[in-house]
């Protein structure tokens, strides 16, 4: 449990994982979906998630230059857990405002 929390236990990492979901996203897409994180912090957190093998970063040698982020198989295994946490929050805190992301169904 200690290693898990060290890997995904920051304020932003679970939200980033949940936001990326099942399909690749460009940096701007992740930032736009979240909207409440600075680009600097998002960059740092994505770098750490890549280093931990949760997210993969794919560079495309095109003009304009393009980079996509996607969950690795290891990262995809976290989606059902994050979906359960989202449902738990909705059940126990229905009247509190929360970040509203489209649920990433883990089927």
């Amino acid at each position: 449990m200690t290693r898990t929390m060290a890997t995904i236990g920051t304020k932003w990492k679970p939200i980033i994982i949940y936001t990326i979901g099942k399909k690749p996203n460009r940096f701007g897409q992740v930032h736009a979906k979240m909207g409440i994180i600075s680009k600097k912090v998002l960059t740092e957190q994505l770098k750490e998630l890549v280093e931990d093998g949760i997210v993969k970063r794919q560079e495309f040698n095109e003009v304009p230059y393009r980079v996509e982020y996607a969950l690795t198989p290891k990262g995809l295994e976290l989606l059902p857990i994050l979906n359960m946490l989202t449902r738990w929050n909705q059940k126990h805190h229905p009247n509190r405002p929360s970040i509203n992301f489209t649920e990433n169904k883990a089927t």
Side-chain angles (χ1 to χ4, degrees), residues 8-22:
I8 65 163
T10 68
K11 175 180 179 178
W12 294 112
K13 287 180 183 177
I15 299 170
I16 294 167
I17 294 164
Y18 189 80
T19 300
I20 292 173
K22 290 186 174 184

Side-chain angles (χ1 to χ4, degrees), residues 1 8 10 13 26 48 58 60 63-64 70 76 86 92-93 106:
M1 182 66 146
I8 65 163
T10 68
K13 287 180 183 177
R26 294 174 77 168
E48 290 178 17
Q58 184 174 4
F60 295 87
V63 177
L76 287 168
T86 300
H92 294 285
H93 304 287

Side-chain angles (χ1 to χ4, degrees), residues 25-42:
N25 287 259
R26 294 174 77 168
F27 179 88
Q29 291 172 307
V30 176
H31 188 260
K33 287 179 187 178
M34 293 180 69
I36 56 172
I37 186 172
S38 73
K39 290 181 178 181
K40 178 182 184 258
V41 171
L42 179 57

